Amino acid sequence: MSEPQKTNRFESNQDLECELALSKVYAFLHGELTEETADQVRQHLMNCENCMDYFDVEALISSMLRKCCREVHAPKTLRAKLSVLHVTWSAGQ
C-alpha cells in the first residue's frame, strides 16, 4: 500500500505569487512598502484578476474606515505627554 500523496499548500507558482502579493496588501494600501516591493505587488495585481478583486474589497473597507474614523484624535493631554517624551528621547541621543 502506498503512502497518501502529500498536498502542497501552493499548487503552483501562481498560487505562491498570489500568497506573497496578498500578504502585502495592507502595507501596499497604506504606502508602507518600498518602491520596488510596491511595484511588484502592483504588477501582480494588474495580472491577476482574483487578487485584484481581493485588493478592491480591502481598498473599499480601508476607505470606509478612513471616512468613519477621521474625526478621532488623541486627547490633548496624551499629545502633550508624547511630545515631552519625544523631546526627552531626542535630547538623550
Side-chain angles (χ1 to χ4, degrees):
M1 181 182 253
S2 64
E3 289 185 24
Q5 187 177 20
K6 294 181 181 179
T7 57
N8 188 347
R9 180 175 175 192
F10 305 109
E11 294 178 13
S12 70
N13 194 34
Q14 180 66 30
D15 290 342
L16 178 57
E17 289 177 21
C18 292
E19 186 77 17
L20 291 171
L22 293 178
S23 73
K24 294 175 174 47
V25 164
Y26 297 107
F28 181 78
L29 278 169
H30 297 100
E32 299 170 354
L33 297 176
T34 63
E35 189 174 331
E36 180 182 350
T37 303
D39 286 344
Q40 291 170 351
V41 172
R42 191 176 295 107
Q43 184 67 38
H44 179 80
L45 292 174
M46 290 185 333
N47 294 319
C48 182
E49 186 177 342
N50 289 335
C51 288
M52 183 55 110
D53 289 345
Y54 180 84
F55 172 80
D56 288 341
V57 169
E58 293 301 325
L60 177 64
I61 291 169
S62 185
S63 173
M64 290 170 51
L65 286 172
R66 274 194 307 277
K67 287 178 184 177
C68 292
C69 300
R70 68 177 157 197
E71 297 299 320
V72 176
H73 299 284
K76 288 181 183 180
T77 54
L78 176 58
R79 288 185 294 193
K81 287 178 185 178
L82 290 174
S83 242
V84 169
L85 287 174
H86 177 71
V87 169
T88 305
W89 182 77
S90 295
Q93 289 195 344

